[in-house]
Amino acid sequence: MKRLNEKIALITGSARGIGFAIAKAFGSEGATPILIDIQQEMIDSAIDELQTAGIKAYGYEADVVNTEKIAAIMKEIVKEHHRIDILVNNAGITRDNLILRMKEEEWARVIDINLKGTFICTQKASRYMLKQKEGSIINIASVIGITGNAGQANYAASKGGVIALTKSAAKEFASRNIRVNAVAPGFIKTEMTAFLPEEVVTKYQESIPLNRLGSVDDVANLCVFLASEEACYITGQTVNVDGGLIM
């Protein structure tokens, strides 16, 4: 029996990277992944790849801070599939700069996508989960939201906010059997990190006790566990996937 058999799983920011790996892992465990991202072309490519792997998937183009569109998508998903079992709030961006040089729009956009977007999607999906009296919400945070980082005040604040939102939502929804947890990746090998200079990557790797960068599958595997019945007594937690970086 697959761990997520017949579950309807909505994943934001899922056309590539960590989000796509989560969608693929969910599909491999029997779920129907529904992708939300901002570029239709990338969504179509991701769905084609999933279908080639034998996974039936669907996709919607939307910005997670577009409240009306997100609400409409949730409504359509429930109309078509009758429920939303899992929500993964993965959509996120960076606009790195030192505090003294950071423009207000750099601050605002990161807070909007990373934190407000998580709030909007959680609010809209939880309405259906509350009626179902079950569900699992997984928020992709970051170890930077715990430690902070020079040049990433906006990103750190947004991810710290996601962790606090996770705890609050877990307390509000627990009575209806809705679990809310956060995953905090460390240094994960993605398309973005592929462009970093080799000396920078080496420096990061040397600071990681397991002496390697994480993979998108490391994050996806944890999300499968948290979404499954195996984690039925886990809520309000933030689990680091960082090779021991901040232990």
Side-chain angles (χ1 to χ4, degrees):
M1 184 71 154
K2 294 184 176 180
R3 288 187 285 175
L4 303 179
N5 207 37
E6 298 184 353
K7 299 291 186 182
I8 304 301
L10 176 59
I11 308 105
T12 69
S14 45
R16 62 179 179 174
I18 290 174
F20 178 75
I22 294 169
K24 189 173 183 179
F26 280 7
S28 297
E29 286 291 343
T32 298
I34 299 176
L35 285 58
I36 289 183
D37 217 302
I38 57 172
Q39 294 183 19
Q40 189 63 52
E41 186 177 333
M42 290 174 58
I43 294 170
D44 293 341
S45 177
I47 289 175
D48 286 345
E49 188 173 339
L50 290 171
Q51 290 179 339
T52 299
I55 296 168
K56 191 172 185 179
Y58 302 87
Y60 294 90
E61 181 183 2
D63 189 323
V64 291
V65 295
N66 187 330
T67 306
E68 292 74 19
K69 193 162 187 179
I70 291 298
I73 287 171
M74 300 280 186
K75 185 176 181 180
E76 186 171 339
I77 290 169
V78 172
K79 182 180 179 181
E80 292 294 323
H81 304 280
H82 310 297
R83 57 193 298 112
I84 298 173
D85 298 295
I86 304 161
L87 168 67
V88 181
N89 286 304
N90 171 72
I93 63 169
T94 57
R95 294 290 186 272
D96 296 350
N97 216 336
L98 296 173
I99 290 172
L100 290 176
R101 297 176 183 171
M102 187 173 291
K103 297 175 182 177
E104 286 189 24
E105 53 265 33
E106 291 175 329
W107 173 271
R109 186 60 176 161
V110 170
I111 296 295
D112 265 5
I113 298 297
N114 297 5
L115 183 53
K116 184 179 177 182
T118 298
F119 161 72
I120 289 170
C121 292
T122 296
Q123 185 186 62
K124 302 310 175 188
S126 65
R127 295 184 189 278
Y128 300 103
M129 292 181 176
L130 288 167
K131 292 177 183 178
Q132 297 163 188
K133 295 185 178 179
E134 64 177 343
S136 176
I137 299 172
I138 302 168
N139 297 325
I140 306 301
S142 170
V143 293
I144 301 302
I146 300 170
T147 65
N149 197 34
Q152 289 192 301
N154 49 1
Y155 186 75
S158 71
K159 293 302 187 177
V162 166
I163 291 170
L165 173 60
T166 297
K167 294 175 185 291
S168 297
K171 289 182 177 181
E172 288 191 23
F173 300 154
S175 65
R176 294 297 184 93
N177 196 34
I178 300 167
R179 298 180 295 105
V180 190
N181 291 289
V183 171
F187 201 91
I188 305 298
K189 194 182 299 182
T190 64
E191 290 179 18
M192 287 191 295
T193 60
F195 294 102
L196 290 173
E198 187 176 341
E199 60 270 20
V200 173
V201 175
T202 300
K203 183 180 178 182
Y204 271 110
Q205 187 166 317
E206 288 173 349
S207 68
I208 299 169
L210 286 182
N211 197 34
R212 69 173 178 88
L213 306 186
S215 72
V216 292
D217 290 335
D218 291 325
V219 180
N221 291 337
L222 175 59
C223 289
V224 168
F225 168 71
L226 289 174
S228 75
E229 285 303 307
E230 294 172 359
C232 65
Y233 201 54
I234 300 174
T235 194
Q237 304 304 305
T238 299
V239 186
N240 299 344
V241 186
D242 66 353
L245 179 63
I246 67 165
M247 64 178 169

